[in-house]
Each structure stands twice: as C-alpha cells, then as structure tokens.
Amino acid sequence: MRRMALFFVAAAVFSVVGATVLFWTLATALGAPDLAGNVARGVALLVVLYGIAFTARSLRRLAAPVGDVIEAVGRVAEGDLSTRVRVRGSRDGRALARAFNAMTSRLEAVEEQRRRLLADVSHELRTPLSVVQGNLEALVDGVHQADAAHLEAILDETRVLSRLVEDLRTLSLAESGALTLHREAIDVGALVREMVESFASQAEPAGVALDAQVSSALPQVDADPVRAREILANLVANAIRYTPRGGHVSVEARAVDTSVAIEVRDTGAGIAPDHIDRIFDRFYKSAESRGAGLGLAIAKQLVEAHGGEITATSVLGEGTQIRFTLPAERPSA
C-alpha cells in the first residue's frame, strides 16, 4: 500500500507539472500570457481532480480484497471453517487471499482429523469396555462364577485398554514434540539380534522364518534404547503377523552416511499402492488387522523424534519392506 500511494502521488505531481508546462508553453506561443495562466490553472485543477478520483478508485480496488478477508474472518470466528475468499485485486491482495484460503483449508483439515480421531478412539475403547462390563455384570448376576477363567478374560481386556491408552499418550507426546528421549550410545547389531531372538517364540509357531543380517563394523547410534526397541518391535511384530506360514522375515542393519539404516522385510501379501502412503496414519489398518492401528504411527513419530526417516515399499504378492534410520553416534574427541 505504501508503494501504491507513492506511485499515485508521483503520478499526480508529474501530471500537474507536465500539463501546466505544456499549456503554458502553448499559450505563450500564441501570445496570450494571461490566457496561458488561466488555462494552466484550469488544467491543473482538472488533473488534480482526476488524480483524486483515480486514487480513490485504486484504493477502493485495493480495499475490496481486504474487506473480503475481514468478512470471511467473521464467518470463521463463528465456526464456518469452509469459508474461502475470492482471489482478486492487486498482487498483495491476491497473496493475502491465497494465504487466508490456505489457513482455513489447514484449519478445516485439522478439525476433520480431530473429529476422526475422537471417533476412532471411541470405537477402539468401546469393544474392551463392553467385554469388561458384560463379564462383570454376568459375575454380579451370578451367571458366571468368579473363577480364574472369567477373571482372566476381564484382566486381558484391561491390558488392552492400558496398552491403547499408553499408545495414545506416546503418540500425543511425540506429535507435540514433548516426548523426552534419554539418548545414549546403542549397539544396533546387539539390538537387532536381541529383537530377533525375542520374537522367535512367535515366529516359530506361525511357521515364519526370522533372521538377522548385521553389517560388520557397524557404528553405534545415538538414540533412546527403550524407544528404539519399541520401533523395531512394532515393525517385526507387524511383519510376522502378515507373513503366511512358510514365509520369511528378515531384519537387516547397515551403515548409511551419518546414520544407521534398519530394514524389516517380509514375504507377505504386500500392500496395495493406493494404501502404502497411509500405513503410518493413526488408526489406519487393514480389514484383517486385530490391532488399533497405532503401531506404525507410533514408530514413525519415534523415528522422526530421533531425527531419522522411515519409509515403506511394497509389491503385491511379494512382500513389504520398511526402512528407518537412526543417527550414528559421533566419535568423541
């Protein structure tokens, strides 16, 4: 607006001066000095009036997009996040309109995500709560005996609830940047071998071969050991769950530049191309999944909290590969 005002003032001044000089020169050449002065003053007045009118019109044109935004802000304040403004006017006015539309689009997406999250959390909590309530009512009414079998069923559901609440808490802290990491030097090779050994008891009954491949002279990583185990455990558990009997799951670790990359590969059914980009979303899960759909979302947030990256590739009928990186420990002086 300051540049436009300076432009209008300069244009008006040059117009007045130019018109005055022009008509003064013409009137003097015609031998009518008095007439020249009157004409020059009349032309100057007309030019000034034209400049004022042109300036008012230009300012009104500039103010129109601002007025649109002011009106739209009122609608957003009333809760209408679908509000958008028309992109028009000067370059700055168009930039303001585009920025406002981008802001409302982001707010609308966040609100939709919040509603979806509440719906998903309610859905995940409803099932275990219903089981607990049903079993307790049966015990109170005398339908079931308060024996170990029925009490164990209730205890299992409370464990599901506890795990869900803890997953939501971890995810919330990671997404807000408030998750505290207790970093230390970790031997990735030992971590991978330990994880493979701990999951062998699950892989063997499922008929899935599980092995580790660790590069020699692998540097240590700077990470939180508890969170690093949580990341790898989520990925290995998923790989075993979706690998059919006779399949193979491999965990490989190798150095990549200033990081250490860990890959978990399986020979399962794979993931469709239109779904692969959504597997790290909260509560996203396949139809046959029995979990809450938080494992990969938590893994992604924990990896990014360490400053690493996580990616997934998959081929239908051949399997899925998930790769994440953790920063390597810097050598001390």
Side-chain angles (χ1 to χ4, degrees), residues 5-321:
L6 291 175
F7 170 76
F8 292 143
V9 171
V13 170
F14 283 121
S15 299
V16 171
V17 173
T20 302
V21 171
L22 175 62
F23 280 93
W24 182 273
T25 302
L26 291 175
T28 303
L30 295 174
D34 295 338
L35 178 61
N38 293 330
V39 171
R41 283 190 290 272
V43 171
L45 179 60
L46 290 176
V47 171
V48 169
L49 292 176
Y50 172 77
I52 292 173
F54 180 74
T55 302
R57 179 178 178 275
S58 300
L59 290 176
R60 187 165 56 250
R61 182 185 175 194
L62 178 65
V66 178
D68 292 343
V69 172
I70 293 174
E71 181 183 354
V73 167
R75 294 200 299 270
V76 171
E78 294 174 355
D80 184 8
L81 297 179
S82 63
T83 301
R84 304 291 184 273
V85 297
R86 187 173 60 172
V87 179
R88 60 171 178 166
S90 64
R91 182 178 62 183
D92 292 336
R94 293 194 301 272
L96 175 63
R98 284 193 290 267
F100 179 85
N101 290 339
M103 178 193 69
T104 53
S105 297
R106 192 173 298 112
L107 288 174
E108 189 175 22
V110 170
E111 177 63 15
E112 178 61 27
Q113 186 180 27
R114 184 188 67 83
R115 292 176 180 175
R116 189 168 59 249
L117 174 61
L118 289 176
D120 291 336
V121 170
S122 300
H123 174 74
E124 294 297 331
L125 291 174
R126 184 182 300 114
T127 300
L129 283 175
S130 298
V131 174
V132 170
Q133 181 179 355
N135 280 278
L136 289 176
E137 289 176 350
L139 292 176
V140 171
D141 295 339
V143 177
H144 293 158
Q145 296 296 322
D147 53 17
H150 292 96
L151 293 176
E152 184 66 27
I154 297 174
L155 184 59
D156 287 342
E157 296 303 323
T158 61
R159 293 193 184 105
V160 172
L161 287 171
S162 178
R163 185 167 59 251
L164 178 59
V165 171
E166 183 60 29
D167 286 347
L168 288 171
R169 178 178 176 274
T170 300
L171 191 59
S172 175
L173 290 174
E175 289 182 341
S176 64
L179 182 67
T180 302
L181 298 177
H182 302 283
R183 292 176 178 265
E184 60 182 68
I186 302 176
D187 184 346
V188 176
L191 173 63
V192 169
R193 296 187 186 95
E194 174 190 338
M195 196 60 57
V196 168
E197 290 177 3
S198 65
F199 276 93
S201 59
Q202 296 183 25
E204 186 176 353
V208 176
L210 178 63
D211 62 43
Q213 302 174 21
V214 180
S215 300
S216 60
L218 196 64
Q220 293 183 321
V221 297
D222 179 30
D224 185 322
V226 175
R227 298 305 183 183
R229 287 185 177 87
E230 187 175 355
I231 296 168
L232 194 53
N234 272 325
L235 301 185
V236 174
N238 267 356
I240 295 175
R241 184 180 302 118
Y242 294 108
T243 300
R245 180 172 294 275
H248 179 230
V249 173
S250 175
V251 184
E252 180 182 357
R254 65 176 184 274
V256 178
D257 298 329
T258 59
S259 303
V260 173
I262 303 174
E263 295 181 357
V264 179
R265 297 189 297 269
D266 65 63
T267 58
I271 303 171
D274 55 335
H275 291 175
I276 191 68
D277 293 333
R278 299 184 56 195
I279 64 172
F280 296 111
D281 293 347
R282 288 177 299 186
F283 295 105
Y284 180 78
K285 56 184 180 179
S286 60
E288 63 274 11
S289 175
R290 297 180 300 276
L294 291 176
L296 291 180
I298 291 174
K300 179 177 184 294
Q301 293 297 327
L302 292 179
V303 169
E304 293 178 350
H306 283 86
E309 297 179 349
I310 186 168
T311 57
T313 57
S314 184
V315 178
L316 285 176
E318 296 184 11
T320 301
Q321 172 182 306

